[in-house]
Amino acid sequence: MSVHHNSLGDCQMSFTSVSGHLFNYDFYEDKRKWWSCEPKQLFTAPILQTCSDQNKYIKNTLEREAKRCSVLIIWTDCDREGENIGFEVITVCRAANPRMNIFRAHFSEITIPSITRAFNALIQPNKKVSDAVDVRQKLDLRLGAAFTRFLTLELQKLVPNLKDMYKLVSYGSCQFPTLGFVVDRFKARENFVPQKFWSIDVHYTKDNMNACFNWKRVRVFCEQSCLAVMSKVMDSPEAVVTHINTKRRTKWRPQPMDTVTFERSVSSKLKINAKRAMTVAEKLYTSGFISYPRTETNKFPPELNLVSYCQMQTASPIWGQFAQRVLTNGPNPRNGTKSDQAHPPIHPTKYAPNLNGEEKRIYELIVRHFLATLDKDAVGYETAIEISINEELFALNGLRVEEKNYLEIYTYDKWTDKDIPQFNQNERFIPDSILMTDGQTTAPELLTEAQLIALMEKHGIGTDATHAEHIEKVKDRKYIVETPDRRLKPEGLGIGLVDGYEEIGYQMSKPHLRAALEKDLKAICDGIKNPEEVLNYQIKEYEKVFNESLRHKNKLFEVVVRKI
DNA sequence: GCAAGGTC
């Protein structure tokens, strides 16, 4: 937004917009061809900012408007990338009109109170935050280009028909850790050694119900000790009820939906991939049916008019009555604690009765989730019975769901009654049977997409907008595949790359490197570290890895080639 | 033919 006046009182304003970053870093022309230089040179080769043809129109608009205005107010998202985009706008406008006064609006959602508040409390743009993004951009470009060219070209030398199988072998600071998570789980599964265990179950039929009491020690890994307990129990097999305890239990309704929750829910509950989920969400957003789908916020801002969004849903023949009930009792959101200071949680913004297919299912999930967050937790009563047989303890748990509440709308969650017979304190009985059982521990399953996204978020790999893309990329590179039961399995090339780097002593596929960078970026934002120093340090560290890859390239690629 | 981050 630019203001055509010296003060912010009585003035004319003009609004214009950008669409993501205006500029992108790239190497100069002489280094863009893959064979133009040694990949190693890309660590130090000069780089420049380029503006795509599409973005040139936006740039022209900014320049034109800047010339007519005396004040510039930046209203980009109030997150790290948003601050950087703000500075791209500032650079363009200042070049067109050096006398401009520049301000930054700080707002966390687009509601009238929030916008008004931001306008009345304009601040200065934060260069430090923007600098941190510059460091990330430059580093990602240099590392990505250098390692990707190196890996691809070297491997092509060794495997002449590589091109038929893999169009390129890439490295990226997010791709590799994403791959690493998948490989880690695969290896945990491969290397898993099952362990035998033993347990004891007590069966007793009462009130026409077969009750199975579980051993309080759950299980032991030694057959002899289980046999010892078994013989003690059989010596005097009368059970006495030692405790009866009934407790109120609640099952919590979901928290407002952020992007990661959205992707994970769609992936696990609707069996639709995260990438596809985001594409559909994008479409629902641009059609006006849902709010902005890329958000890290899981609490509703007080200014958001939940009542009106709820009201819209009362038109539905399926969940209209539920929406009405939410309105009567609340709405009563179960807020989380995360906020990206840029967007509210994902919520429906319009009733959409005419959707079909995946759009319909995804919209329905968003609405059901939204209404569920505004309702009440489910309430149940858990009865725990404890019995003692010759001093050995066994337990039986029953559940009675008293109020389903949010579960009525959030049909993806299940919480069902478990009926058990009535018992009295000190009641004695002879069990129908006391059985020693055995089993063995089972290997962890391969990762699901939902689990992988959770890991990425936990370790700071990628952003809300990019998790799904990174997963898609490592699939596209043939580092991993999706199994028929929707689990992620590494392929030979993926395992080879991870092992190859470990072989020469670098954990390129572990999340620590990216996490360390994130920490440095935070330090730049907080003014503790200098951006140039961080950049130089990071480049040097990766250059070391690169040089070692060169020095040990035989060893590195020997491992890779063996696996493909 | 490279990255990751915006966004459509």
Side-chain angles (χ1 to χ4, degrees), chain A residues 342-488:
Chain A
H343 304 286
I346 302 171
H347 60 275
T349 49
K350 204 159 75 179
Y351 176 53
N354 296 321
L355 298 171
N356 289 305
E358 285 178 340
E359 281 179 32
K360 181 181 177 171
R361 293 170 67 214
I362 288 175
Y363 175 79
E364 179 169 340
L365 174 73
I366 292 169
V367 174
R368 286 183 184 272
H369 188 111
F370 172 72
L371 292 174
T373 63
L374 304 181
D375 197 52
K376 287 185 282 192
D377 295 339
V379 182
Y381 287 89
E382 188 187 69
T383 301
I385 315 268
E386 189 187 84
I387 57 169
S388 169
I389 305 177
N390 203 7
E391 294 183 347
E392 199 59 33
L393 301 178
F394 299 85
L396 173 69
N397 288 311
L399 178 72
R400 185 165 44 82
V401 178
E402 191 78 5
E403 299 168 33
K404 290 192 77 178
N405 293 336
Y406 90 91
L407 289 169
E408 287 171 27
I409 191 77
Y410 199 72
T411 42
Y412 318 97
D413 269 3
K414 299 282 177 251
W415 205 41
T416 47
D417 285 358
K418 191 195 165 201
D419 291 331
I420 56 168
Q422 288 271 341
F423 287 94
N424 298 312
Q425 180 77 30
N426 298 325
E427 181 177 336
R428 285 168 184 273
F429 63 88
I430 304 287
D432 303 342
S433 62
I434 301 175
L435 300 175
M436 184 161 147
T437 62
D438 62 4
Q440 56 178 31
T441 55
T442 50
E445 296 288 337
L446 293 170
L447 283 183
T448 62
E449 189 185 42
Q451 291 166 339
L452 178 54
I453 290 172
L455 282 171
M456 293 170 78
E457 187 193 30
K458 181 178 160 201
H459 290 92
I461 304 302
T463 68
D464 51 358
T466 60
H467 291 141
E469 287 173 27
H470 296 310
I471 298 174
E472 214 55 27
K473 186 146 276 176
V474 292
K475 277 190 202 164
D476 198 49
R477 295 285 184 262
K478 301 204 169 101
Y479 296 166
I480 71 170
V481 284
E482 193 177 328
T483 64
D485 60 340
R486 305 189 71 248
R487 292 189 177 265
L488 303 171

Side-chain angles (χ1 to χ4, degrees), chain A residues 120-156:
Chain A
N120 288 325
L122 295 173
I123 56 174
Q124 285 301 303
N126 188 333
K127 185 73 165 56
K128 293 189 180 91
V129 173
S130 173
D131 286 347
V133 172
D134 265 344
V135 170
R136 180 197 60 70
Q137 289 177 330
K138 291 172 181 171
L139 197 64
D140 282 339
L141 170 66
R142 291 185 185 284
L143 301 183
F147 278 101
T148 300
R149 288 187 195 180
F150 165 71
L151 290 171
T152 306
L153 298 177
E154 290 294 333
L155 213 50
Q156 274 170 8

Side-chain angles (χ1 to χ4, degrees), chain A residues 62-246:
Chain A
L62 289 173
E63 286 163 347
R64 188 187 68 223
E65 293 301 319
K67 285 181 186 143
R68 318 166 38 227
C69 296
S70 51
V71 173
L72 169 67
I73 307 176
I74 302 294
W75 288 87
T76 48
D77 286 355
C78 293
D79 55 17
R80 219 161 65 185
E81 297 292 331
E83 206 63 23
N84 185 271
I85 294 169
F87 272 91
E88 293 178 335
V89 173
I90 290 169
T91 305
V92 169
C93 291
R94 201 172 252 158
N97 177 358
R99 292 177 310 282
M100 265 191 153
N101 262 323
I102 295 166
F103 296 100
R104 171 73 157 121
H106 191 258
F107 60 108
S108 58
E109 73 275 341
I110 302 176
T111 56
I112 291 172
S114 181
I115 296 295
T116 310
R117 196 185 316 125
F119 190 79
N120 288 325
L122 295 173
I123 56 174
Q124 285 301 303
N126 188 333
K127 185 73 165 56
K128 293 189 180 91
V129 173
S130 173
D131 286 347
V133 172
D134 265 344
V135 170
R136 180 197 60 70
Q137 289 177 330
K138 291 172 181 171
L139 197 64
D140 282 339
L141 170 66
R142 291 185 185 284
L143 301 183
F147 278 101
T148 300
R149 288 187 195 180
F150 165 71
L151 290 171
T152 306
L153 298 177
E154 290 294 333
L155 213 50
Q156 274 170 8
K157 281 191 227 163
L158 291 170
V159 188
N161 60 350
L162 187 87
K163 268 188 182 160
D164 305 339
M165 262 296 277
Y166 310 103
K167 58 177 186 260
L168 55 91
V169 183
S170 64
Y171 165 82
S173 56
C174 290
Q175 291 175 30
F176 258 47
T178 304
L179 165 64
F181 290 129
V182 177
V183 172
D184 269 359
R185 177 59 67 88
F186 173 77
K187 287 190 170 172
R189 186 173 163 77
E190 291 291 294
N191 300 332
F192 186 79
V193 182
Q195 239 187 317
K196 287 204 83 172
F197 60 77
W198 291 265
S199 184
I200 300 172
D201 287 344
V202 175
H203 295 268
Y204 181 54
T205 306
K206 191 185 182 190
D207 309 335
N208 280 326
M209 275 180 262
N210 187 349
C212 176
F213 291 79
N214 301 121
W215 197 15
K216 273 274 193 180
R217 304 185 203 218
V218 185
R219 61 191 183 184
V220 290
F221 292 93
C222 166
E223 188 174 14
Q224 287 310 313
S225 49
C226 194
L227 280 167
V229 174
M230 192 63 188
S231 91
K232 184 178 86 169
V233 166
M234 295 311 282
D235 272 351
S236 171
E238 188 190 39
V240 56
V241 176
T242 50
H243 280 107
I244 299 178
N245 194 5
T246 299

